[in-house]
Amino acid sequence: MAGGGMVNGKGGARAELYEHKITPYFIFACIVAALGGSLFGYDLGVSGGVTSMDHFLKEFFPKVYRRKQEHLKETDYCKYDNQILTLFTSSLYFAALFSTFFASHVTRNKGRRASILCGAVSFFAGASINAGAQNIAMLIIGRCLLGVGIGFGNQAVPLYLSEMAPAKIRGAVNQLFQLTTCLGIFIANFINNATEKHKWGWRLSLGLATVPAFLMFVGGLFLPETPNSLVEQGKLEEGRRVLERVRGTKNIEAEFQDLVEASEAAKAIKHPFRNLLKRKNRPQLIIGALGIPAFQQLTGMNSVLFYAPVIFQSLGFGSGASLWSSTITSGTLVVATFISMAFVDRFGRRAFFLEAGIEMIIAMVCVAVTLAIKFGQGVELSKGIGIFLVVMICIFVLAYGRSWGPLGWLVPSELFPLETRSAGQSIVVCVNMFFTALVAQCFLVSLCHLRYGIFLLFAGLIVVMSCFIFFLLPETKQVPIEEIHLLWQKHWLWKSYCEPEEEKTGMKPVQVV
C-alpha cells in the first residue's frame, strides 16, 4: 500500500534524497549487535533438548523420568506433562517480560548500546548459574537472569538494526537478528546431540550459553550508538559523525534533518507509554505493540522449538532420533531466514506473511489429521508416518522462518515514531514474552488433553492472524523509518485515526511507495 507524505520547507517525505554505501564500519556494527539473537536462539534450542535428557530428568525431575521409562515401548501424549518442568522453560520468559520495562528506560535514556551490554552481562550470569545448578531453585534463578538478558537484548537489538540500516535494505539487515536466533537454535541442537549421553552433558549444554554472551559483551564495547539515539540524547554532532560513517558519505543532510525533526517531536513527549494510548498512535499500538508479537507466538512455532525433542519422543521417536529430527527442523529455520533476507525488501512484508500463512495452515492440518488417524493407541508410528510428520513440520518451519519469525521483529521495529519507539518496543517484547511464556507453560498439558487438536487450534489461529495482516497492515518495504507514520494517512481504516496533514498545512500529500 502507498502512504502519504508532505513536502515543505522543514522536510518531510525526503527519502529520494537519502544516500548510502555499505561500509565495513556498518557491517561490523550490525553483526555484533545481531549476536543478541544468538542468546535468544541458543536458549530456545537448548531448553527442549535438555528437558528430554535422561540425566537431567533423573537429577531434577525424577517423577517425569520414571513416567518416561514406563512408556519407552509406546507413544504417549502425556509423558512430559509436568508444570514444574515447563516452569523451567517458561520462567525465563516471565523474567524477560518484566525486565523489558527497565530496558526501555535504559534504551531511551542511555542508548541502545547500553541495553545490549546489560543484556550480555545478565545472560552470562544466568548461564553460569544454570551450568552449576544443584537444585531446582538454582535452575529457576539462572533462568530468570537469562530472561533479564533476553529482555534487554530483544528490546535493543531490533531497534539498533532498524535504525542503523538504510531504508532500502532495512528488512534484510533487521533479519540478522532472526538469522543469529536461528543459528543459535541450530548450534544448540548439535550440542545437545553431542552431550545427551553424558551424565554432565546437560551442564555443558546450558553452560555454553556463556559463549555468545561473552562475544556480545566484548563486541558491544566497540559498538557505535545509533545516530537516532544520539540525536535523541541531544548529541547532534556525534550523531552526524556516526551517520556519515555508517552511510559512507558526507551527503546525509536530508536523513539527518529527518532525525533532528523526529527528535524534536520526541522531546515534547514526557510520558511515551501514555502517548502510545493516544488515538493517533492506535495503528502502531494495535498492529506493532499488540497484534504481531502476540500472533508470532500463537503460530505454535515456539512450541515446536521448545519441545521438538519432547514432541518427537512423545510421537514414538527414540531419544537420539528425536534430537536429530529437531536438528533438521532448526536447520530448516536457518535456510528460511536466508530466503527471507534475500527477498523481503523485494516482495514486501505483506506478501511473505500471507503466502507463508497458507503453507503453515496446510502443514498444521496435515499433522493433526495424521495424528488423529495413526497415533494415540499405544502403537509406535511407522517409519513412513514418522518421516511424513518430520517433513510437514519442516514445511511449517520453512514458512514460519521467512514470515512470522523474522517479520515479527522487523515490522514492529519499523512502525513506531522516535518519540514512542523505545516504549513501543518494550510493549512488543513484553507481549511477545508473555505469550511465549504462556505457550511454553501450557503446551505440554494442552498436548496431553487436546492431543492432535492442539495442531488444529494453531491452524485456526493462523487463519485469524493472516486476516489481521491482510486487512490492517500497510506495506512498509523501503519506506524510511522516520516516514513510516505517513502510511497510516492512506490506509482505508487507519486514516480515520490520523489527522490529515493537509488540514494543518493546506499542502497536498505526496505518494510514498
Side-chain angles (χ1 to χ4, degrees):
M1 291 186 184
M6 307 299 300
V7 176
N8 58 34
K10 294 184 179 181
R14 295 181 274 234
E16 70 279 0
L17 302 178
Y18 287 17
E19 294 184 15
H20 76 274
K21 299 175 184 176
I22 304 300
T23 65
Y25 188 67
F26 168 74
I27 293 171
F28 165 78
C30 290
I31 290 175
V32 171
L35 283 173
S38 67
L39 307 184
F40 191 30
Y42 187 86
D43 184 80
L44 282 173
V46 82
S47 298
V50 165
T51 53
S52 71
M53 291 182 183
D54 288 346
H55 293 294
F56 176 80
L57 293 174
K58 194 183 302 183
E59 185 161 350
F60 294 102
F61 303 97
K63 290 184 180 179
V64 177
Y65 174 75
R66 287 194 296 270
R67 187 190 308 158
K68 176 183 174 183
Q69 298 307 305
E70 290 170 0
H71 294 278
L72 282 177
K73 301 300 182 182
E74 65 180 48
T75 54
D76 184 358
Y77 283 106
C78 301
K79 286 179 185 177
Y80 294 90
D81 180 18
N82 182 287
Q83 288 300 295
I84 302 299
L85 178 60
T86 52
L87 182 63
F88 166 73
T89 297
S90 61
S91 58
L92 178 147
Y93 303 101
F94 285 120
L97 185 159
F98 290 108
S99 69
T100 187
F101 292 105
F102 297 101
S104 172
H105 176 79
V106 173
T107 301
R108 175 165 181 162
N109 295 289
K110 303 298 182 182
R112 287 49 165 156
R113 175 175 171 270
S115 278
I116 290 173
L117 291 172
C118 289
V121 171
S122 181
F123 199 90
F124 187 94
S128 300
I129 292 173
N130 269 354
Q134 299 300 314
N135 50 54
I136 292 178
M138 287 185 70
L139 282 178
I140 301 301
I141 291 171
R143 295 291 291 174
C144 288
L145 285 172
L146 291 172
V148 172
I150 286 178
F152 273 84
N154 287 13
Q155 156 76 216
V157 173
L159 289 185
Y160 187 96
L161 293 173
S162 287
E163 290 181 346
M164 292 293 277
K168 291 185 178 180
I169 58 170
R170 187 175 62 246
V173 171
N174 184 275
Q175 288 188 44
L176 286 171
F177 179 76
Q178 177 71 6
L179 176 62
T180 56
T181 299
C182 297
L183 289 172
I185 295 167
F186 188 60
I187 291 169
N189 276 297
F190 266 107
I191 291 172
N192 284 339
N193 287 330
T195 63
E196 66 146 338
K197 299 298 183 184
H198 300 283
K199 184 176 181 179
W200 44 263
W202 63 270
R203 294 188 184 276
L204 182 59
S205 290
L206 294 175
L208 284 175
T210 57
V211 175
F214 176 77
L215 293 175
M216 182 174 157
F217 178 80
V218 173
L221 295 175
F222 300 96
L223 274 182
E225 186 54 82
T226 69
N228 310 59
S229 180
L230 290 170
V231 171
E232 188 178 20
Q233 296 174 57
K235 302 175 181 178
L236 299 185
E237 289 307 312
E238 187 178 352
R240 182 189 292 274
R241 287 197 301 271
V242 172
L243 187 60
E244 289 178 354
R245 196 170 179 187
V246 296
R247 295 292 181 261
T249 177
K250 295 287 186 180
N251 298 323
I252 49 86
E253 193 57 40
E255 184 172 2
F256 185 74
Q257 189 61 36
D258 276 349
L259 296 185
V260 172
E261 291 179 9
S263 175
E264 290 173 354
K267 289 176 181 177
I269 305 300
K270 302 301 181 183
H271 303 286
F273 284 99
R274 189 184 305 169
N275 188 262
L276 272 175
L277 300 177
K278 290 185 176 180
R279 180 179 174 85
K280 68 175 184 178
N281 291 323
R282 201 64 48 80
Q284 299 96 310
L285 177 66
I286 292 176
I287 299 175
L290 301 178
I292 289 179
F295 284 140
Q296 185 192 47
Q297 302 310 314
L298 293 176
T299 59
M301 181 61 207
N302 273 356
S303 297
V304 174
L305 294 178
F306 290 149
Y307 300 118
V310 171
I311 291 171
F312 287 123
Q313 279 195 27
S314 294
L315 299 183
F317 292 74
S319 178
S322 69
L323 286 173
W324 280 111
S325 297
S326 62
T327 302
I328 292 171
T329 59
S330 61
T332 303
L333 195 58
V334 174
V335 173
T337 304
F338 278 114
I339 294 173
S340 187
M341 290 178 68
F343 297 109
V344 71
D345 286 315
R346 182 182 305 177
F347 298 119
R349 286 60 160 152
R350 282 168 52 85
F352 269 50
F353 271 129
L354 298 174
E355 178 271 331
I358 295 172
E359 290 183 38
M360 293 164 70
I361 293 165
I362 293 171
M364 283 289 98
V365 171
C366 287
V367 169
V369 171
T370 302
L371 295 179
I373 297 173
K374 297 292 185 180
F375 180 64
Q377 305 302 318
V379 179
E380 287 192 39
L381 293 171
S382 68
K383 183 177 180 180
I385 295 297
I387 292 174
F388 176 76
L389 286 174
V390 172
V391 169
M392 284 296 102
I393 289 177
C394 283
I395 290 174
F396 176 84
V397 170
L398 189 65
Y400 173 91
R402 66 178 188 274
S403 60
W404 282 95
L407 301 185
W409 293 106
L410 166 62
V411 174
S413 73
E414 296 177 321
L415 296 184
F416 298 101
L418 185 61
E419 63 264 26
T420 59
R421 192 168 296 154
S422 60
Q425 186 67 11
S426 281
I427 303 298
V428 170
V429 176
C430 179
V431 172
N432 186 287
M433 291 300 134
F434 174 79
F435 280 92
T436 302
L438 184 66
V439 171
Q441 191 68 26
C442 296
F443 177 73
L444 290 180
V445 68
S446 299
L447 181 66
C448 180
H449 293 284
L450 296 179
R451 304 167 78 85
Y452 62 84
I454 188 66
F455 298 101
L456 290 177
L457 174 62
F458 285 136
L461 289 169
I462 297 168
V463 171
V464 173
M465 62 186 71
S466 296
C467 293
F468 177 88
I469 293 296
F470 181 80
F471 289 109
L472 299 183
L473 179 68
E475 183 54 66
T476 59
K477 70 172 182 177
Q478 299 188 7
V479 179
I481 194 169
E482 302 302 347
E483 295 182 5
I484 293 290
H485 68 282
L486 302 174
L487 295 175
W488 312 121
Q489 297 170 18
K490 285 294 182 180
H491 190 272
W492 68 273
L493 174 64
W494 302 125
K495 64 182 180 182
S496 64
Y497 289 85
C498 305
E499 183 181 358
E501 291 292 333
E502 59 265 30
E503 288 185 9
K504 292 190 287 187
T505 64
M507 295 183 179
K508 295 181 179 180
V510 174
Q511 293 295 318
V512 178
V513 179

